[in-house]
Structures are given as C-alpha cells and as structure tokens.
Amino acid sequence: MRRSLVVGNWKMNGTLASSELLAKGIISGLDSNKADIAICVPYVYLPSVSELVKGTALALGSQNIADKSSGAFTGEISASMLKEFNCKYALVGHSERRSFYGDTNESVAARFSQALEQNITPILCVGETLEQREQDQTFEVINEQLDAVINLVGITAFNSAVIAYEPVWAIGTGKTASDEQAQEVHFYIRQYIAAKDQAIADKIQILYGGSAKPENAKGLFAMPDIDGGLIGGASLDAESFLKIFNSI
Ligand code: 13P
C-alpha cells in the first residue's frame, strides 16, 4: 500500500500574518496521520512557517528551487538555503513556472537534481495544455517531461521523488479532470516508470492537481493510481484543505 500525500501550493498569495494564521489553522485541525500532508509556501514566509510546523505532522515545501547550487544567480534560492528552513519538499516544473518564467524540461531536471543533493524530495509537475490534449499529444508531452529528468538523474533517483500530474487546462479554471481522465494518465505515468523499474513504479506517489476541491477529492483519491493531490486555490482555506486531506 502506498501512503497518500496531500500538498497545498499557496502560489503567490497571502501576507505574513495570513500565512501564519493559515498554517496554524491547518495544524490545529489535523487529527489524522493516515496520510502525509505538506504546504508549499512563498519563499519569504518559509522562516516563520518553518517555526510553526516544527514538531507537527505538517511538512514544509518550496514552490521552486534553483537549478544551480550557489553563485552569481541573482534572485534564485538554492537547495541548501531551503534545507536551512526544513523544507522537506520542493515543487519543480510547475506549469506556471514553465509557461510564465521559461523553465524548460532541462532546467526542471537540474532543479530536481539540486533538490536531491540536499535530501529535499522533488515534486515533479507534469501535464499537458488543452491544445496538446486536443491534438492527442498528452502522453508524448509527459514522456518528454519525464525523460528529461530520467536522462539527467537516472530512474533510481525517483526512489525519493513525487510526481504530480497537473493538466494545465484544469489549473485554476474550475474545470477538473474527471476521475477516469486523471486515472488514465496516472496509470500511464506509472506504467512508463514500471517499464524502467517496477519497484519504483509500485512505490512512487503520483498526485493529481487541477481544481481539486472538497467536492471532488474523494472520487479522485479513490482511483487506484491517484495517491493524493497538489492543491492550489482550495489550500488557501484551512477548512477546505483539511476536508480534502480527510477525503483520503
Ligand atoms: P488549483 O487547485 O487552484 O487549480 O491549482 C492547482 C495547482 O496548480 C497546484 O499546484
């Protein structure tokens, strides 16, 4: 049995005060350890939220990570810096990074590798745009996104990684993939990994992301290859995030 994982991606939202309040709200409402739970908060709030989650079941993650270890890279945040604030996870290759900030499959692979160097678990985000889905390119796109990472770090690196399938057309649109649509791609991803290493495929957590909310989480999480969720908008409210978590 794979353990499930629910991760909140706060994106660029909130203030210091609201972030602290939200983290406290999640911690105080957490009454089950049947699955893992984490929040990926804006960089500048990591120091403060890191103190709040200490000793609790709520883990911390970053929303991105530099593709280099240190040096003259203005504006970047390295894996070792994130480690200092107890980041357990780092999102890599979120579609908003890929589409608005030029993250390529190659730079995503380098970020993934940097995370592993510091024992931070990368959450590799993959997924197709609406146009790519309509042109039947979903699997091809996902192959390329996975291959770039596998080619750099090798399949065994996926022993300490998480994959998040986030169809771009479902992110922030209110348009969720149906349980079956999501399961089809999750199954495909697991088979793709299995062709290279069956044990890793059996064990790796594959999360669904894209307009997941309390109303649809149960159905999605009941699918055999969906091991939890990467939650955007609905993770900004402690109650709805916890409802999603409790749907596991
Ligand atoms: P929404 O849940 O707001 O659609 O965002 C999903 C997402 O991008 C999580 O990383």
Side-chain angles (χ1 to χ4, degrees), residues 177-190:
S178 69
D179 302 344
E180 293 73 24
Q181 269 175 328
Q183 166 58 23
E184 182 190 24
V185 180
H186 281 237
F187 176 76
Y188 176 81
I189 293 171
R190 202 175 302 284

Side-chain angles (χ1 to χ4, degrees), residues 3 25 32 46 49 53 73 99 109 152 185 189 202 226 229 231-232:
R3 198 170 157 81
S32 152
L46 285 172
V49 176
V53 302
F73 303 104
S99 63
L152 183 72
V185 180
I189 293 171
D202 289 341
I226 300 183
I231 321 298

Side-chain angles (χ1 to χ4, degrees), residues 9 11 94 96 166 170-172 209-212 230-233:
N9 174 9
K11 307 194 179 182
H94 190 281
E96 286 148 19
E166 297 208 306
I171 296 178
S211 298
L230 179 52
I231 321 298

